Amino acid sequence: MDLSVSKTISRILKVNHAGEFGAIRIYRAQVFVARYLIPDLVPFLSETLGHEIDHCLKFRAAMPERGSRPCYAMGLWGIGGYTLGLITALMGRNAVMVCTKAVEATVHQHLTEQLVFLEGRDEALKSLIADIQIQEIGHLDYAQAHICPSPFNAPLEGLIVVATEIVIWLSTQGAVTRMTRALEQA
Ligand SMILES: [Fe+2]
Ligand SMILES: [Fe+2]
């Protein structure tokens, strides 16, 4: 396989694994707070947390044979995710839904680009990502259906998207930029 292709595939896994790691922390923090403040959201958040744990394990398992390793700044993802989860859960139900929408929409966009790139290059990884994407769309749809209109939604969502992109960039040492560039050129 072309060296640049295998490098891009390795980066895709690194970024996705870090993303799932962060998502686990977001939902874990939200479940913790929601038990006290928004109990009716706990079933959705717990189920979603279970999905993200499963995604993280599956990406981790796909790494060795593709010469990929978890980024060493995973702790940053963890702290960033947990903080985002805590703050949004303390802000209330709508902030949790806006957070879910922002994070899941970002994930969805990355996965869609990756699927195009992996076509004919790594069919096994492509089908793994396609399966995971079905659940991510479910998370996104649930959030979109439960957001209440508010003038604060757009700025909060923008803030979360920017924060998510910065943390993913820092924790993957820019691998996400090189991944996106390679996907655009392909
Ligand atoms: Fe996920
Ligand atoms: Fe998700």
Side-chain angles (χ1 to χ4, degrees), residues 52 104 136 139:
E52 310 302 2
E104 299 290 350
E136 308 293 18
H139 306 159

Side-chain angles (χ1 to χ4, degrees), residues 18-34 45 48-49 52 77-89 95-104 107 160 163-164 167:
E20 300 294 352
F21 188 87
I24 290 171
R25 269 68 192 173
I26 293 174
Y27 290 113
R28 197 168 271 164
Q30 289 177 338
V31 167
F32 174 72
V33 176
L45 294 172
T48 306
L49 173 61
E52 310 302 2
W77 247 120
I79 295 166
Y82 206 84
T83 308
L84 181 60
L86 272 184
I87 292 172
T88 49
V96 171
M97 291 294 103
V98 169
C99 175
T100 302
K101 184 193 165 198
V103 170
E104 299 290 350
V107 167
I160 293 170
T164 309
V167 173

Side-chain angles (χ1 to χ4, degrees), residues 14 19 37 71 125 137 161 165:
K14 200 181 191 102
L37 301 181
C71 61
L125 183 58
I137 292 171
V161 169
E165 295 285 0

Side-chain angles (χ1 to χ4, degrees), residues 52-163:
E52 310 302 2
I53 290 171
D54 182 52
H55 302 166
C56 193
L57 289 171
K58 284 177 173 158
F59 282 133
R60 182 68 190 86
M63 291 176 108
E65 59 180 302
R66 292 171 178 85
S68 185
R69 283 194 312 201
C71 61
Y72 62 83
M74 293 288 281
L76 187 62
W77 247 120
I79 295 166
Y82 206 84
T83 308
L84 181 60
L86 272 184
I87 292 172
T88 49
L90 289 169
M91 286 169 73
R93 171 193 316 277
N94 208 45
V96 171
M97 291 294 103
V98 169
C99 175
T100 302
K101 184 193 165 198
V103 170
E104 299 290 350
T106 307
V107 167
H108 180 55
Q109 196 203 323
H110 281 304
L111 298 187
T112 302
E113 291 167 0
Q114 293 168 7
L115 288 174
V116 174
F117 179 82
L118 292 170
E119 173 88 47
R121 293 185 164 109
D122 188 332
E123 290 296 329
L125 183 58
K126 187 188 151 205
S127 78
L128 172 65
I129 291 179
D131 280 348
I132 287 176
Q133 192 182 36
I134 293 170
Q135 288 186 323
E136 308 293 18
I137 292 171
H139 306 159
L140 179 59
D141 286 348
Y142 183 94
Q144 273 171 325
H146 290 82
I147 288 177
C148 301
S150 155
F152 299 109
N153 289 351
L156 179 61
E157 190 180 332
L159 204 67
I160 293 170
V161 169
V162 170

